[in-house]
Amino acid sequence: MDSYDLDRFRGVFTALVTPFKSGAIDHASFDALVERQLAAGIAGLVPVGTTGEAASLSDAEADDLIRRTARSAAGRAFVVAGAGSNSSASTVDKVRRAEAAGADALLVVTPYYNKPTQAGLLRHYAMVAEATALPIMLYSVPGRCGIEIAAETCAILRERHGNIVAIKEAGGSVDRVTRIRRLCGTDFVIHSGDDALTIPFLSTGAVGVTSVVSNIAPVEMVAMVRAWHDGDWRGALALHDQIAELTDSMFLEANPGPVKAALAFAGLAGSEVRAPMAEMDPGNLQRLAEIIDRFRQNGNLFQEMR
């Protein structure tokens, strides 16, 4: 692990949406969204993850998005490409393709649907780690995958594989941060996988967040996490409170429906999603529109959207 600069994982990483237009990727909107993130001072970009509808992308589309992100972010932000699936062989292929496309690191979700045991996860991640020299961020999200990476399993993986250096923890439990740190050591990187839990996670030892809401509010998320790292806890909490309603609204329905709708309301990208996802329920859409409108008019928030 000493050969990796783990400070590169510090801060806000945006789980990028993939804009579509008439079924195809809207490259112009994607590039503009990436540039907006970089201008806001985002530390990292995560293309082709859950928020990017990775499961609905072809390999060629995923490669292109990673390549475009890496090209735009070069020297400006760390690129952690999504590279997981529910097949170990397919995951290894995705890992190699992401590395070839220019990713700086890899985000590898637990296999979904299969529900492997912890022994199965050890086998899966060993295959992944041996396929690449890039640093790997584990991704535990039991709400989507049906399984959790046990803290003990994290510790074994960290010990056996020098390039497994981090975890995106999206199980909703702050207690998990302490347990993972205790078993894996304080130099094992932890990211919050839930925007609403960013401050609680940072307070117990996480160093960053892989964020959905930063697609729409990158300036505010960067300011909040920087304030925390700078010791301005009151300022960080004030920003947390200011964006709490917006953060909650990103999950009125399954991600990325709401964040894509929010970007459309802001005139930043279209709201189109790929099947099996569907456009938001009209009632939820109206509620989201009202929230976005309030934030547009609220103090210094969303100044670049006015």
Side-chain angles (χ1 to χ4, degrees), residues 23-254:
I25 294 176
D26 181 354
H27 290 105
S29 290
F30 181 80
D31 292 346
L33 288 171
V34 167
E35 187 56 41
R36 181 171 179 262
Q37 296 295 315
L38 295 169
I42 285 291
L45 295 169
V46 184
V48 196
T50 304
T51 306
E53 296 174 77
S56 302
L57 299 174
S58 70
D59 286 340
E61 288 174 327
D63 293 349
D64 178 63
L65 289 168
I66 295 167
R67 192 176 297 111
R68 298 177 84 92
T69 306
R71 184 169 58 241
S72 296
R76 303 168 71 188
F78 199 55
V79 176
V80 183
S85 79
N86 67 333
S87 158
S88 297
S90 176
T91 300
V92 166
D93 180 62
K94 289 177 183 295
V95 160
R96 290 174 173 158
R97 295 174 73 102
E99 183 170 5
D104 296 312
L106 305 162
L107 177 67
V108 183
V109 72
T110 56
Y112 38 87
Y113 185 75
N114 312 59
K115 297 186 73 172
T117 62
Q118 296 301 305
L121 291 179
L122 290 172
R123 183 184 184 193
H124 175 77
Y125 282 111
M127 292 174 65
V128 171
E130 290 164 6
T132 181
L134 291 182
I136 293 167
M137 175 179 273
L138 308 173
Y139 183 11
S140 183
V141 55
R144 281 191 180 262
C145 296
I147 55 169
E148 181 176 77
I149 307 175
E152 293 80 3
T153 300
C154 291
I156 294 170
L157 289 170
R158 178 196 182 281
E159 179 66 26
R160 291 180 180 175
H161 308 286
N163 58 338
I164 294 181
V165 300
I167 185 169
K168 176 184 174 183
E169 173 54 42
S173 170
V174 179
D175 291 343
R176 283 258 299 171
V177 179
T178 299
R179 183 162 181 79
I180 291 169
R181 288 178 69 245
R182 187 168 68 246
L183 293 175
C184 296
T186 57
D187 60 346
F188 187 75
V189 172
I190 301 173
H191 264 215
S192 173
D194 297 290
D195 281 301
L197 294 178
T198 301
I199 294 298
F201 268 52
L202 292 173
S203 73
T204 51
V207 301
V209 55
T210 302
S211 172
V212 173
V213 76
S214 59
N215 278 280
I216 188 72
V219 171
E220 291 73 31
M221 282 298 293
V222 167
M224 182 182 76
V225 173
R226 280 183 180 167
W228 181 271
H229 283 315
D230 289 344
D232 180 12
W233 303 311
R234 289 180 183 275
L237 186 58
L239 282 161
H240 165 86
D241 290 343
Q242 283 181 324
I243 64 174
E245 184 181 30
L246 180 68
T247 296
D248 290 344
S249 75
M250 294 299 95
F251 299 94
L252 286 170
E253 293 183 8

